[in-house]
């Protein structure tokens, strides 16, 4: 992490900013796409980038020394590098393994309703609801080796996934983009109204 001192009215405070993808969590990664599509200048884009990756509010970043700001932007060039992909069907966090559930032909009514609600809330930007999708499709194995069935308590794992390093979970993101059309087609026939899904493939490629 890069430490930067920012002079505020109440005094100087030290803030940390990531230097590599290893120091970026899922929440920060998803925040990078919050403002996608907005027409903004390069300086505004840089401020939003720093805010997304650090969680520091815009008004505080506005008080940074401009030279420190420029140096910090230089340190964030790692975001142009491709994230390493891991060829595994699970994620291990704090000693717990969560396996990817892929049997879309056997979704329950609760799962379909949850997916539809999340996609509607996403309004075309799947990154907004990615932590919730992770809760739905990353599951623990039971003693008999089968994956646990869907229940609403799974959504309580949202914070766990939000704080997970993106390098450990990025391969699951790819899964959602490869299968999003299949999910959409599956529940499109069950409901008269269809979520307004935009093609986010181009946005996904920008993360590389």
């Amino acid at each position: 992490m890069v430490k930067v001192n920012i002079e505020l009215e109440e005094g100087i405070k030290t803030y940390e900013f990531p230097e590599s993808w290893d120091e970026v969590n899922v929440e920060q990664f998803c925040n990078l796409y919050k403002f996608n599509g907005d027409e903004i200048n390069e300086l505004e884009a840089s401020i939003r980038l720093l805010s997304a990756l650090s969680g520091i509010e815009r008004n505080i970043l506005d008080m940074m020394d401009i030279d420190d700001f420029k140096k910090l932007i230089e340190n964030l060039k790692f975001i142009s590098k491709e994230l390493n992909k891991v060829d595994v069907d699970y994620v291990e966090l704090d000693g717990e393994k969560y396996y990817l559930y892929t049997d879309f032909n056997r979704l329950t009514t609760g799962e379909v309703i949850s997916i539809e609600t999340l996609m509607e809330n996403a309004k075309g930007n799947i990154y907004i609801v990615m932590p919730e999708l992770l809760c739905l499709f990353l599951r623990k194995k039971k003693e008999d080796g089968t994956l646990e069935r869907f229940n609403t308590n799974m959504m309580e794992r949202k914070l766990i996934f939000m704080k997970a390093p993106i390098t450990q979970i990025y391969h699951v993101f790819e899964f959602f983009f490869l299968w999003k059309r299949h999910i959409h087609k599956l529940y499109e026939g069950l409901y008269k109204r269809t979520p307004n899904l935009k093609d986010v493939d181009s946005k996904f490629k920008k993360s590389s």
Side-chain angles (χ1 to χ4, degrees):
M1 288 284 192
V2 177
K3 292 186 178 180
V4 177
N5 294 324
I6 301 178
E7 186 174 353
L8 307 175
E9 287 192 14
E10 59 269 28
I12 296 176
K13 287 192 175 182
T14 302
Y15 296 90
E16 292 185 336
F17 297 84
E19 290 184 278
S20 68
W21 282 124
D22 290 324
E23 297 174 340
V24 175
N25 61 36
V26 169
E27 180 180 20
Q28 293 166 322
F29 183 80
C30 292
N31 283 342
L32 290 174
Y33 293 88
K34 244 180 200 178
F35 308 102
N36 247 338
D38 293 356
E39 294 184 7
I40 54 178
N41 59 43
E42 186 175 346
L43 180 59
E44 178 64 25
S46 297
I47 292 175
R48 291 186 179 187
L49 170 66
L50 287 177
S51 181
L53 290 175
S54 65
I56 298 174
E57 295 179 3
R58 164 64 186 269
N59 64 318
I60 294 177
L61 293 175
D62 284 343
M63 301 179 74
M64 281 187 68
D65 178 88
I66 188 62
D67 291 329
D68 290 341
F69 180 83
K70 291 177 180 178
K71 290 177 184 177
L72 200 54
I73 290 298
E74 286 295 313
N75 288 333
L76 294 180
K77 286 186 175 180
F78 71 84
I79 66 169
S80 64
K81 297 179 181 178
E82 183 176 358
L83 274 156
N84 293 326
K85 300 176 180 65
V86 184
D87 189 20
V88 293
D89 64 348
Y90 67 89
V91 171
E92 187 169 355
L93 302 171
D94 298 326
E96 290 275 10
K97 287 185 178 180
Y98 300 88
Y99 292 83
L100 193 55
Y101 182 80
T102 59
D103 193 355
F104 294 118
N105 293 318
R106 299 185 61 185
L107 292 178
T108 65
T109 302
E111 288 167 333
V112 172
I113 291 173
S114 296
I115 292 170
E116 185 193 53
T117 301
L118 289 174
M119 290 303 189
E120 287 180 341
N121 292 339
K123 297 179 180 178
N125 187 348
I126 198 172
Y127 290 100
I128 293 175
V129 295
M130 190 62 77
E132 288 85 354
L133 287 174
L134 293 173
C135 292
L136 283 173
F137 290 102
L138 285 176
R139 306 186 182 186
K140 295 180 182 180
K141 278 188 176 180
K142 297 185 291 186
E143 290 184 1
D144 62 3
T146 61
L147 297 183
E148 59 186 346
R149 290 178 60 83
F150 168 78
N151 66 79
T152 55
N153 291 334
M154 287 179 174
M155 306 310 289
E156 296 176 3
R157 299 171 183 167
K158 178 180 175 180
L159 185 60
I160 295 175
F161 295 129
M162 285 174 66
K163 300 306 177 184
I166 189 61
T167 49
Q168 292 185 29
I169 215 162
Y170 181 68
H171 62 287
V172 179
F173 276 49
E174 289 194 306
F175 158 80
F176 287 119
F177 289 100
L178 290 172
W179 286 90
K180 68 180 184 297
R181 291 188 180 87
H182 185 83
I183 297 173
H184 187 201
K185 184 178 179 181
L186 182 144
Y187 66 77
E188 183 179 25
L190 296 177
Y191 296 91
K192 291 182 179 179
R193 88 181 164 280
T194 305
N196 180 23
L197 293 178
K198 296 179 181 177
D199 188 359
V200 293
D201 288 306
S202 59
K203 296 180 182 178
F204 180 67
K205 291 176 182 176
K206 288 180 182 178
S207 67
S208 299

